Amino acid sequence: MTQHLTESDVRGIAEYTRIGLSAEEVVTMTADLNAIIESLKPITEYDLDGVEPTFHPIGGLSNVMREDVEGTSFTQSEALENAPKQEEGCFLIPSILGEGGDR
């Protein structure tokens, strides 16, 4: 198998990404990364002359979102109609930050 990356390369990558690797892990990671790179070798054998690069896998994707149009909505009293608890025109919900009580 061809060695594309050296242990020094892997140490440099680990340092750059702030990943602590032991000496044994550097050896293992070097072998694993070289195997991954080698597994991609068949891609280089394709004749790609004249093939335009693809920038999005779906090609001519356009915005599929609808227009943001203002419409009729609930009144405040309608929105609060089924609320289990409310106070001063607002929903009253249990506190989740450990302060206790409703907020």
Side-chain angles (χ1 to χ4, degrees):
M1 177 171 38
T2 306
Q3 179 139 356
H4 302 280
L5 295 173
T6 65
E7 289 181 14
S8 176
D9 294 330
V10 172
R11 277 192 215 91
I13 293 168
E15 182 179 332
Y16 179 77
T17 57
R18 299 175 188 232
I19 297 173
L21 295 177
S22 68
E24 291 173 0
E25 291 172 323
V26 168
V27 171
T28 303
M29 187 63 69
T30 302
D32 289 347
L33 290 173
N34 280 311
I36 291 168
I37 293 169
E38 191 66 27
S39 73
L40 298 173
K41 188 177 180 183
I43 293 173
T44 64
E45 297 171 5
Y46 290 108
D47 179 17
L48 300 176
D49 288 337
V51 176
E52 293 293 320
T54 302
F55 296 101
H56 196 284
I58 303 178
L61 183 67
S62 63
N63 187 358
V64 296
M65 304 298 281
R66 66 171 171 79
E67 291 293 319
D68 189 13
V69 179
E70 185 177 334
T72 58
S73 61
F74 296 113
T75 64
Q76 185 174 7
S77 61
E78 288 173 327
L80 291 169
E81 202 170 82
N82 292 319
K85 294 182 181 178
Q86 53 180 296
E87 183 177 289
E88 298 177 14
C90 298
F91 292 100
L92 196 60
I93 60 170
S95 174
I96 59 169
L97 298 178
E99 297 167 359
D102 293 329
R103 302 201 45 90

